[in-house]
Amino acid sequence: MTTPVVIAVELSMITKRTIQTLLLFTGLVTACTSYAQEYNYIHYDVKDGLAGSTIYDLCQDKDGFIWFATEAGISRFDGTHFKNFTTSDGLPETEILKLFADSKGRIWMAPFKNTVCYYYNGKIHNQENDPVLKKINLSAVIGFFRESSDQDVGFYAYNSFTVVSANNTITQYKSNESSGALLRPNPHGKGFQLNIDDSCYVVANGKMIPVPCANVGSMNIDPKLNKVKAGLKITAEDYDPGYNHVLFTNTWYGSYMVDTVTFDHYEEPFLKGKQISHALVDSEKNIWFATLGEGVYKLASREFKTHFFCENKSQEIFSLAKINGKIYAGTAFGKIYLLHGKVIDTINANKEFNTSLYYGSTNRVTCLQQLKDGSLLMGSDGLLVKKTSKGTVFNTRIYAIKSIEELANGMVLVGTAKRALLLHPNDLSIQDTIFPSRTTCVCFYNNNYYIGTVNGLYVANLNNQVRYLGDSVPSLRQRISYFCKSPDGLLYIATYGAGIICMKNDQVVNQITTQEGISSNICRTLFINNDFLWAGTDKGLNKINISQTPYPVTTYSTSDGLPTNIINAVYVDSNIIYAGSPAGVTWFNETKTGHYSKCNLRILDISVGNKSQPLKDNYRLGYQENSLKISYAGISFKSGGNIWYRYRLKGLTDTWDSTLQNVLEYPSLPPGNYEFELIAINKKGIVSDPVKIAFIVDAPFWQTLPFQILFIAVVILITWLLVAWRFSILRRKEQEKTSVQQKLNELEQMALRAQMNPHFIFNCLNSIQNFIITNDLESTNQYLTEFAQLIRQTLDNSEKSTISITNEIKYLKRYLEMEMMRFGHSFKYTVGVDAALDPDMEHIPTMILQPYIENSIRHGIRYKESGVGTIDIKFQKISEGFLCIIQDNGIGRKKASEYKSKMHVEYQSKGMSLTAERINILNRQLSEPITIEINDLTDAHNQATGTRITLRFPYTITFKPVKNDTNHYNRRRTQ
């Protein structure tokens, strides 16, 4: 609370101005005649893109475009952009006087010369480029166009009548010069009715037949209307297309609309003082007025009316309130207007502002509040006034007032440019300072003071403890412009940038932004009416249905009839909506605004490779022309250009994108099939019919499947040839290396055999020597014979790589017989072949077994001390090949090694080691190796009982092939 000293000072200041307060409402309420009630028009001129300011005619085509004939060419308007056409586009003359849109989509034009042309599918057809129009010969400028029920187009030019039939045949009829003519579709059938002065004709099927005017009728103009028209300076009249009822009479000082029920009187005038050439009601019930010299005006709705305060320095309204059945509107310079019916009263307190702290300001009346006791509280830039039936109280020592709220206890919460205050309602004295800084709006909610500032929202409790909600809620850091409490206990907060924030019990429960459908996030004012929240923004007035989620939003803007989109204040009284704006006070009955909005979508141009193409449903693009540009327009004159588009290019993406632009570009489309889809959505949420266009982008020849297959095949072939060539070089080197190695192996084999043969011969000669010493001539002779045959057989076999088992057995038997003779038949032997084995077909390396048998005899059986020695040789079949098992009952390898160590070195046998080395060399040449396994045989007492040698041979002894040595390879296999 403020101290007693501060209160005393404030009271002192109030006392000093007591006399001044007595003058506050002297002559307060006076009748004001300095206002005007007018419709809100949208004006388009050259600065907006219109070709010229002088508009001779206008029409709407079947696609929805509005066309304007001007002194500087033709303009086509889609609600957002103007497209202009001149002689460079094909017009025979820049100045165009008449326009007509037929049912086929052609826009017929009458230039200011004796010729005719029309626009169709992006091209202007004239008498130089169109063979049909070339047949037309005109001697005067065309006065008007009409279309018959059978789609013939007729136009009258002073003394001639021309018909262009639906199948493009031309028929021209001559007539007498006339002072007046009437042309309309024949009301009783095909063709036209043509009235020239007092004569009537029916033109149909190539004939012009005179008929009594009583049969077809003449101008449907009521005599009452004619009487009024006599006093008007008429420029032109607009008729309905079927019966020639006058709809508008256009004059040099306004346009007059005929009552369309009785057609016997004018309903009301429009654009008083302006030269109107023609008027048009479009498909959305907008009324367009073409002027001579001031462009074109659009009247979106006759339901929106605005009070313009002529004599005031400012039209702007800052506050609205309803008090005692009257709408109070606060404006600048200390004025408050009272609206009741067609009467407007004025409260003028501008003189009293001279006493305020804000002397010299515009003295805006920003707040109007009726207190519970019936008194009126008015706040402005530096002056707070309370008017009661007993008198007036005011406070001039207060800064610019931004917001006022009466509390339940009768105190008044006031937000000012310097601080937030609590005032006593009786004398408006300051009781407490709630917030010490500049405020923009205030309210008391949830037992707390809510303080709006330019920096966001603060909350102060009853103990003046302040906290900043912007710390926890970023959107509450925006400027706070207005508070509005709903009956269900919610607090709606208008912000400058974050839309509308809804709070309950200090918690944000919702936020309404442009994403939810409101027209702008900059909200200036709010008003609750039943289940609807009205929000005034800088882009129109929004009606939000807060009883539904998501919130349905209806937007009113200049395209609907508001004079401006900036809404400072709003008040809703049943179905009547009052909006305060810089243009004055606007009101309308929302139930009568109508729902005529439409949204048409049209493709304007398609460019491929920067070249415009004729419009069609599908296109085929070459790979060098894969840049695509699509121009389009959503036509909705109720939307005022507020149209957004959703599109996708299937084949490139299936996701829908949104844009506000009227052009889409795809600079480089990859080859493939595409379908372009586009829809337009106007501000009322109405969705247009979709547009679908197919595109095929051809692939370059190097990306086609046949070329790719051929290319891959060529690459594979070249790669294969390179790899084959490389492998041939590697194989050749490897084969050369292998060939050399194999030759080295053969030489090693030959060397080993050469080493083995002398060894064997040495042993045999020892035996012969032994026979000679013992004088056993018969044995010597027999042994020499066997020895000679064995040597011969050895020499024969030594030249071969392999030998059959049969021949090997013969060789081994002769060798064994000689060894038995040499050792005095001290051992015996057996040779067995598995019945499943064909000894003639299976081969083994030459002289591979003899060294092992020799070893068994010389080192195993030779030193056997008792019993007869035995050597068993078996050839046995196995799954992988066959085995050769050599088993003796000699003394074993351990005992034999003891005897070997005692012998002289020249008698030690080399056959086993040479054979093992030979097998190792052979295995380097063979596809499947030969394996050797030597086992010592023992009895139950672990005493040696002999030795078993097992050799495993593959079925076929196959040498690894060597290229360029095929004969050698084959020869070695078959030997």
Side-chain angles (χ1 to χ4, degrees):
M1 299 293 289
T2 56
T3 64
V5 175
V6 174
I7 295 175
V9 171
E10 296 287 352
L11 290 175
S12 176
M13 291 180 179
I14 294 173
T15 302
K16 292 180 182 179
R17 287 178 171 79
T18 301
I19 298 175
Q20 295 172 341
T21 59
L22 298 177
L23 302 175
L24 178 61
F25 286 97
T26 56
L28 269 181
V29 180
T30 59
C32 176
T33 58
S34 59
Y35 71 91
Q37 178 181 312
E38 182 59 279
Y39 294 118
N40 304 311
Y41 298 91
I42 299 174
H43 183 218
Y44 301 100
D45 210 335
V46 176
K47 62 181 176 56
D48 303 297
L50 198 61
S53 295
T54 299
I55 313 298
Y56 294 115
D57 201 1
L58 73 169
C59 69
Q60 184 174 28
D61 65 19
K62 72 181 187 68
D63 290 331
F65 294 103
I66 302 286
W67 293 76
F68 303 99
T70 80
E71 84 282 11
I74 293 292
S75 292
R76 184 186 68 190
F77 189 44
D78 59 24
T80 306
H81 302 99
F82 287 93
K83 168 68 175 177
N84 297 325
F85 302 88
T86 63
T87 53
S88 62
D89 300 295
L91 288 179
E93 163 66 31
T94 300
E95 197 166 8
I96 307 298
L97 303 181
K98 289 292 180 181
L99 290 175
F100 179 76
D102 68 15
S103 59
K104 293 183 178 180
R106 295 175 295 187
I107 310 300
W108 292 86
M109 308 172 191
F112 189 39
K113 64 188 299 186
N114 303 343
T115 185
V116 67
C117 61
Y118 67 86
Y119 174 92
Y120 185 67
N121 281 348
K123 179 183 177 182
I124 294 178
H125 298 252
N126 55 47
Q127 290 187 269
E128 293 183 1
N129 62 23
D130 190 284
V132 175
L133 298 183
K134 271 185 180 180
K135 302 175 183 178
I136 299 174
N137 184 20
L138 297 174
S139 59
V141 175
I142 295 173
F144 40 79
F145 295 88
R146 291 291 185 270
E147 184 177 19
S148 68
S149 60
D150 48 346
Q151 294 186 316
D152 292 348
V153 174
F155 42 90
Y156 184 78
Y158 188 54
N159 60 354
S160 68
F161 178 57
T162 305
V163 176
V164 180
S165 68
N167 58 6
N168 286 332
T169 59
I170 304 295
T171 307
Q172 287 193 280
Y173 306 91
K174 294 294 181 180
S175 65
N176 297 325
E177 296 182 1
S178 65
S179 58
L182 164 70
L183 177 65
R184 68 175 179 178
N186 182 8
H188 303 293
K190 296 181 179 180
F192 299 91
Q193 174 193 345
L194 176 62
N195 296 2
I196 302 175
D197 295 332
D198 296 329
S199 301
C200 298
Y201 303 89
V202 170
V203 181
N205 300 320
K207 298 178 181 179
M208 186 174 176
I209 304 172
V211 294
C213 291
N215 293 348
V216 293
S218 58
M219 297 283 285
N220 293 318
I221 301 177
D222 192 277
K224 298 178 183 178
L225 198 62
N226 265 333
K227 185 177 180 180
V228 178
K229 286 172 56 178
L232 300 176
K233 190 176 181 181
I234 298 174
T235 56
E237 291 191 294
D238 296 300
Y239 302 88
D240 66 33
Y243 297 97
N244 282 79
H245 282 303
V246 176
L247 299 178
F248 291 92
T249 297
N250 306 297
T251 73
W252 287 94
Y253 38 81
S255 179
Y256 294 83
M257 182 178 184
V258 177
D259 180 84
T260 55
V261 176
T262 63
F263 295 97
D264 63 352
H265 68 280
Y266 289 112
E267 190 170 352
E268 58 183 323
F270 301 94
L271 294 170
K272 292 181 180 180
K274 298 188 182 299
Q275 300 179 29
I276 309 299
S277 60
H278 279 284
L280 168 73
V281 180
D282 68 20
S283 59
E284 294 181 281
K285 307 300 182 184
N286 300 292
I287 305 177
W288 298 79
F289 297 97
T291 72
L292 299 174
E294 296 185 61
V296 63
Y297 289 84
K298 182 185 78 170
L299 176 59
S301 174
R302 295 163 64 194
E303 294 299 326
F304 289 77
K305 297 180 180 179
T306 300
H307 275 304
F308 299 97
F309 305 102
C310 308
E311 290 187 355
N312 198 18
K313 296 179 182 179
S314 173
Q315 307 281 349
E316 189 162 9
I317 301 299
F318 299 99
S319 56
L320 288 171
K322 186 175 182 180
I323 301 172
N324 299 325
K326 298 179 181 179
I327 297 296
Y328 282 59
T331 182
F333 302 101
K335 288 187 178 181
I336 301 170
Y337 297 104
L338 281 69
L339 287 67
H340 49 106
K342 295 184 178 181
V343 179
I344 297 180
D345 295 331
T346 305
I347 298 175
N348 191 342
N350 193 41
K351 293 186 298 181
E352 283 67 31
F353 279 101
N354 294 339
T355 64
S356 72
L357 295 176
Y358 274 71
Y359 172 73
S361 74
T362 56
N363 300 330
R364 301 169 301 167
V365 179
T366 55
C367 300
L368 292 169
Q369 177 78 41
Q370 185 177 24
L371 302 182
K372 294 176 182 178
D373 60 4
S375 60
L376 174 62
L377 200 60
M378 299 173 285
S380 63
D381 293 334
L383 182 65
L384 181 62
V385 179
K386 177 184 177 184
K387 179 179 179 296
T388 68
S389 59
K390 297 180 181 181
T392 303
V393 179
F394 67 94
N395 186 338
T396 60
R397 298 297 298 174
I398 196 166
Y399 291 96
I401 296 173
K402 304 298 182 183
S403 178
I404 298 174
E405 181 178 352
E406 184 182 18
L407 306 185
N409 60 5
M411 302 296 284
V412 178
L413 180 63
V414 178
T416 75
K418 290 293 184 180
R419 52 187 172 170
L421 303 171
L422 199 61
L423 304 182
H424 197 282
N426 294 335
D427 57 3
L428 302 182
S429 61
I430 299 174
Q431 303 297 306
D432 194 6
T433 297
I434 304 302
F435 188 75
S437 301
R438 176 186 179 90
T439 64
T440 54
C441 57
V442 293
C443 81
F444 188 76
Y445 172 74
N446 199 27
N447 214 30
N448 287 301
Y449 300 104
Y450 277 65
I451 314 298
T453 72
V454 292
N455 298 318
L457 180 61
Y458 292 83
V459 176
N461 61 20
L462 297 178
N463 297 323
N464 285 358
Q465 294 175 328
V466 180
R467 54 193 174 94
Y468 179 50
L469 294 188
D471 289 334
S472 58
V473 182
S475 55
L476 291 177
R477 299 171 190 169
Q478 302 286 340
R479 175 181 174 181
I480 308 299
S481 56
Y482 207 90
F483 293 110
C484 187
K485 290 179 281 189
S486 65
D488 58 358
L490 297 176
L491 177 64
Y492 291 91
I493 305 171
T495 73
Y496 267 43
I500 303 168
I501 299 170
C502 178
M503 296 190 70
K504 187 172 185 179
N505 299 328
D506 288 348
Q507 298 294 322
V508 175
V509 297
N510 221 323
Q511 188 171 359
I512 307 172
T513 65
T514 52
Q515 292 185 349
E516 284 68 41
I518 64 174
S519 56
S520 174
N521 286 331
I522 298 177
C523 298
R524 295 170 173 264
T525 185
L526 299 173
F527 189 91
I528 288 280
N529 180 43
N530 298 323
D531 292 331
F532 297 95
L533 174 66
W534 292 80
T537 74
D538 65 334
K539 293 184 179 179
L541 180 62
N542 297 271
K543 179 185 178 182
I544 307 166
N545 189 342
I546 55 177
S547 65
Q548 299 181 24
T549 303
Y551 305 116
V553 178
T554 302
T555 301
Y556 297 94
S557 65
T558 54
S559 60
D560 298 290
L562 291 175
T564 176
N565 285 329
I566 298 175
I567 308 300
N568 295 327
V570 61
Y571 187 88
V572 180
D573 185 12
S574 185
N575 294 323
I576 306 300
I577 315 301
Y578 295 88
S581 71
V585 178
T586 302
W587 73 93
F588 61 94
N589 188 333
E590 65 169 328
T591 63
K592 296 182 180 180
T593 55
H595 302 283
Y596 304 112
S597 181
K598 294 182 179 180
C599 188
N600 297 322
L601 178 61
R602 298 292 179 262
I603 299 297
L604 303 181
D605 182 67
I606 293 180
S607 296
V608 175
N610 296 322
K611 294 181 181 179
S612 183
Q613 303 294 321
L615 297 180
K616 52 186 180 179
D617 295 332
N618 56 79
Y619 296 84
R620 192 175 195 98
L621 285 62
Y623 73 91
Q624 292 179 326
E625 300 176 337
N626 60 345
S627 63
L628 183 62
K629 181 179 179 181
I630 305 172
S631 302
Y632 47 85
I635 307 171
S636 176
F637 299 106
K638 288 290 187 187
S639 298
N642 186 14
I643 299 175
W644 60 288
Y645 304 89
R646 300 194 69 206
Y647 67 95
R648 64 178 177 179
L649 188 62
K650 294 176 68 176
L652 189 65
T653 177
D654 290 330
T655 304
W656 287 91
D657 292 316
S658 299
T659 183
L660 295 174
Q661 302 299 318
N662 292 84
V663 177
L664 285 174
E665 292 190 65
Y666 297 92
S668 181
L669 282 177
N673 296 338
Y674 304 94
E675 184 179 46
F676 177 73
E677 293 182 293
L678 178 70
I679 58 174
I681 304 170
N682 70 6
K683 81 165 190 175
K684 300 291 185 182
I686 296 175
V687 181
S688 71
D689 292 333
V691 169
K692 296 183 179 181
I693 305 174
F695 295 94
I696 298 176
V697 180
D698 292 331
F701 70 90
W702 61 83
Q703 292 183 7
T704 59
L705 184 60
F707 181 85
Q708 290 176 343
I709 293 175
L710 178 62
F711 179 77
I712 292 173
V714 170
V715 170
I716 292 174
L717 177 62
I718 293 174
T719 303
W720 182 82
L721 291 174
L722 291 174
V723 171
W725 174 71
R726 178 61 179 167
F727 273 114
S728 66
I729 294 175
L730 295 176
R731 278 198 304 270
R732 187 161 55 249
K733 291 181 178 180
E734 186 64 28
Q735 286 166 357
E736 290 174 357
K737 181 179 178 181
T738 304
S739 177
V740 170
Q741 184 63 42
Q742 189 163 343
K743 290 179 180 179
L744 289 174
N745 290 340
E746 289 179 356
L747 291 174
E748 288 179 4
Q749 290 284 345
M750 293 175 65
L752 290 172
R753 286 197 296 270
Q755 292 180 20
M756 186 177 62
N757 291 339
H759 171 74
F760 173 70
I761 292 171
F762 173 76
N763 289 335
C764 290
L765 291 176
N766 281 339
S767 298
I768 293 171
Q769 183 183 20
N770 188 40
F771 283 130
I772 294 173
I773 292 173
T774 56
N775 292 319
D776 189 351
L777 297 178
E778 182 179 357
S779 296
T780 301
N781 184 48
Q782 183 180 355
Y783 196 85
L784 281 173
T785 301
E786 292 293 332
F787 176 70
Q789 293 179 359
L790 184 63
I791 290 299
R792 181 178 181 85
Q793 192 173 357
T794 299
L795 293 174
D796 290 339
N797 291 343
S798 63
E799 294 296 325
K800 301 175 181 179
S801 298
T802 62
I803 189 172
S804 67
I805 293 177
T806 301
N807 290 335
E808 180 70 10
I809 291 174
K810 289 180 181 179
Y811 178 77
L812 292 177
K813 283 183 177 180
R814 176 167 279 113
Y815 168 73
L816 285 169
E817 289 294 333
M818 288 182 64
E819 290 292 274
M820 286 177 64
M821 289 176 62
R822 188 162 71 92
F823 289 102
H825 297 280
S826 60
F827 68 92
K828 58 183 180 178
Y829 70 91
T830 61
V831 179
V833 179
D834 192 342
L837 198 63
D838 187 352
D840 292 326
M841 299 302 297
E842 301 301 334
H843 288 70
I844 63 175
T846 304
M847 298 186 70
I848 202 74
L849 301 180
Q850 184 269 339
Y852 293 102
I853 296 173
E854 178 186 354
N855 192 70
S856 295
I857 297 171
R858 183 175 181 80
H859 302 291
I861 297 174
R862 177 181 179 183
Y863 298 107
K864 186 176 176 63
E865 297 177 352
S866 62
V868 179
T870 61
I871 297 175
D872 296 319
I873 303 171
K874 297 179 182 178
F875 292 91
Q876 183 178 343
K877 184 177 181 181
I878 58 176
S879 60
E880 300 87 2
F882 58 91
L883 301 177
C884 179
I885 302 173
I886 302 171
Q887 182 173 324
D888 64 64
N889 62 348
I891 62 175
R893 288 187 297 168
K894 183 178 180 180
K895 191 71 174 176
S897 63
E898 295 177 0
Y899 284 106
K900 282 178 64 177
S901 62
K902 298 177 181 180
M903 287 186 176
H904 191 272
V905 67
E906 64 176 339
Y907 295 109
Q908 291 182 1
S909 175
K910 297 182 180 179
M912 287 282 287
S913 60
L914 292 174
T915 302
E917 187 175 352
R918 182 182 170 207
I919 290 175
N920 288 334
I921 295 173
L922 280 172
N923 284 340
R924 293 203 296 263
Q925 304 176 69
L926 298 178
S927 299
E928 296 182 32
I930 300 170
T931 62
I932 305 171
E933 182 180 350
I934 302 175
N935 297 311
D936 293 319
L937 304 178
T938 58
D939 56 15
H941 302 288
N942 202 26
Q943 297 296 318
T945 60
T947 304
R948 181 188 298 129
I949 301 172
T950 304
L951 289 90
R952 288 181 175 82
F953 297 96
Y955 274 123
T956 304
I957 303 299
T958 304
F959 290 92
K960 295 177 183 177
V962 178
K963 195 173 181 180
N964 299 329
D965 198 14
T966 306
N967 294 333
H968 170 80
Y969 169 69
N970 293 335
R971 174 174 58 80
R972 298 302 299 268
R973 282 199 62 182
T974 56
Q975 284 180 350

